[in-house]
Amino acid sequence: MLSKIKANDLFCDYYAQWISVYKEGAVRKVTMDKYKMSHSWIVKLIPELQICELNRVTYQQLLNNYARYHERQTTMDFHHQLKGAIQDAVDDGLIEKDPTRKAIIKGKQPSKKKDKYINQFELHTLLSSLNLKGEINWDWFILLVAKTGMRFSEALALTPKDFDFAHQTLSISKTWDYKGNGGFLPTKNRSSVRKIQIDWQTVIQFSELVRKIPEDEPIFVKKPCVYNSTVNSILARHCKKAGITVITIHGLRHTHASLLLFAGVSIASVARRLGHASMTTTQKTYLHIIQELENQDVDLVMRSLSGLS
């Protein structure tokens, strides 16, 4: 299809075909949806712009117009999604020079973000308020995410077979398609496939809870469609009842990582436990905590040196 594209064709049509050729079947559905969303914005902002009319000025104007409605990071993501297609158009001779070069990324003032994590005392208060009696429920889900730092989709995909009670480990090898029609999906990336060490108390609790559930059936999913908002609402109710900061299920993942870092666990170990593709991701996500720990290290170093004579 792309071989038939001409320089005077509409860029929005070219981008739609580029997505179909290069991204369809090569990226996860959630990523594909982002590409389609970028395409819908192109149709909205530059519906009549031809490929050959794309230069540094028209591209910068496109980014500026997009940035009027979005924060800087979202505009940066939009820029990266367009960049691959545009550079291919340059390579194919449809555009003379790369218009994305030296692009300036702008964006709206970021909205006030909700607290991403809670402290150790608040976590203890939250967990003590959970209803952890009887059969599996969403309170058990909240407990397990808090103790493992799993992603929401990873925890939904857990089956009894994923627990190795003898070695106190939990295998993460799949996710649950909660944004689609349900069913198992691959993990976010190769690094996400991992084994997480779990404590003996969790072993005892879940060995009893999953005893009657078929080995290959998801523990927490009773029907294909599970909504993130449903579990977040349950967690929010618990937080309000406990009188602590209201966070989301993803906030429990951040809480887990934060507590490990404050406890002195290495960034490499935290990255492996969370299933991050690299330590860089962990460092970027928890930069504020790492900086706080570095300040503590400076105090420790100075106290050690002052003791020398």
Side-chain angles (χ1 to χ4, degrees):
M1 289 188 294
L2 285 174
S3 59
K4 296 178 182 177
I5 289 282
K6 299 183 292 296
N8 59 356
D9 286 339
L10 296 178
F11 177 72
C12 59
D13 292 342
Y14 169 79
Y15 188 63
Q17 291 190 29
W18 183 87
I19 293 171
S20 177
V21 171
Y22 288 104
K23 299 301 172 183
E24 193 83 58
V27 296
R28 288 159 55 90
K29 183 182 180 299
V30 64
T31 307
M32 190 65 184
D33 288 343
K34 289 176 184 176
Y35 275 104
K36 288 178 178 176
M37 181 61 73
S38 293
H39 175 255
S40 68
W41 274 99
I42 290 171
V43 172
K44 181 179 178 179
L45 296 173
I46 51 168
E48 303 298 327
L49 191 76
Q50 297 177 1
I51 302 171
C52 59
E53 294 173 328
L54 203 57
N55 53 45
R56 285 187 62 195
V57 174
T58 55
Y59 183 70
Q60 185 64 58
Q61 190 60 57
L62 167 64
L63 290 182
N64 292 349
N65 291 338
Y66 183 86
R68 287 168 55 200
Y69 305 95
H70 300 89
E71 292 180 14
R72 189 178 183 280
Q73 184 56 55
T74 311
T75 306
M76 178 70 81
D77 295 339
F78 178 70
H79 165 63
H80 284 148
Q81 289 207 318
L82 298 190
K83 196 172 180 179
I86 292 171
Q87 288 177 337
D88 280 351
V90 173
D91 291 343
D92 293 337
L94 298 171
I95 302 174
E96 194 174 327
K97 292 180 181 177
D98 181 6
T100 67
R101 187 172 170 272
K102 292 186 178 180
I104 306 298
I105 308 300
K106 304 174 186 177
K108 290 197 308 179
Q109 192 70 21
S111 55
K112 190 177 185 302
K113 297 288 190 290
K114 289 182 181 178
D115 289 319
K116 286 188 174 180
Y117 68 96
I118 53 180
N119 61 39
Q120 192 165 359
F121 172 76
E122 288 177 310
L123 182 60
H124 280 302
T125 306
L126 169 65
L127 297 185
S128 64
S129 74
L130 299 177
N131 174 23
L132 301 175
K133 295 175 183 176
E135 297 181 348
I136 286 281
N137 57 25
W138 289 119
D139 285 19
W140 284 109
F141 183 91
I142 290 167
L143 174 75
L144 198 58
V145 171
K147 285 197 169 189
T148 61
M150 283 184 291
R151 297 178 178 94
F152 180 69
S153 59
E154 293 172 343
L156 286 179
L158 287 176
T159 64
K161 196 165 69 173
D162 294 323
F163 286 87
D164 183 346
F165 296 117
H167 296 95
Q168 292 186 220
T169 60
L170 190 53
S171 293
I172 309 299
S173 59
K174 56 196 178 302
T175 61
W176 187 260
D177 183 19
Y178 72 94
K179 291 183 178 178
N181 299 317
F184 295 115
L185 287 174
T187 54
K188 185 176 183 179
N189 50 52
R190 238 183 299 178
S191 305
S192 297
V193 177
R194 63 201 188 278
K195 287 185 187 293
I196 299 176
Q197 205 75 30
I198 52 178
D199 63 281
W200 64 268
Q201 191 176 14
T202 304
V203 167
I204 293 169
Q205 290 168 326
F206 276 86
S207 60
E208 184 60 32
L209 286 166
V210 306
R211 197 162 46 86
K212 295 178 182 177
I213 301 174
E215 277 209 329
D216 294 319
E217 278 190 21
I219 294 166
F220 297 104
V221 180
K222 304 304 177 190
K223 51 186 179 180
C225 291
V226 181
Y227 300 103
N228 189 278
S229 56
T230 303
V231 190
N232 279 336
S233 295
I234 293 169
L235 176 57
R237 281 201 302 272
H238 279 300
C239 290
K240 287 172 185 174
K241 187 178 176 183
I244 63 170
T245 305
V246 174
I247 58 167
T248 62
I249 287 291
H250 197 70
L252 282 179
R253 176 172 162 86
H254 287 308
T255 298
H256 181 80
S258 303
L259 293 181
L260 293 182
L261 289 168
F262 277 123
V265 178
S266 70
I267 295 171
S269 294
V270 173
R272 279 196 299 273
R273 192 168 173 88
L274 296 181
H276 282 164
S278 71
M279 280 193 292
T280 306
T281 306
T282 316
Q283 287 170 321
K284 282 182 180 177
T285 308
Y286 302 104
L287 180 63
H288 59 296
I289 294 171
I290 293 165
Q291 287 173 337
E292 194 173 329
L293 291 171
E294 284 175 348
N295 291 337
Q296 292 176 14
D297 286 344
V298 170
D299 293 339
L300 184 62
V301 168
M302 297 317 293
R303 281 202 302 271
S304 301
L305 291 176
S306 63
L308 295 175
S309 56

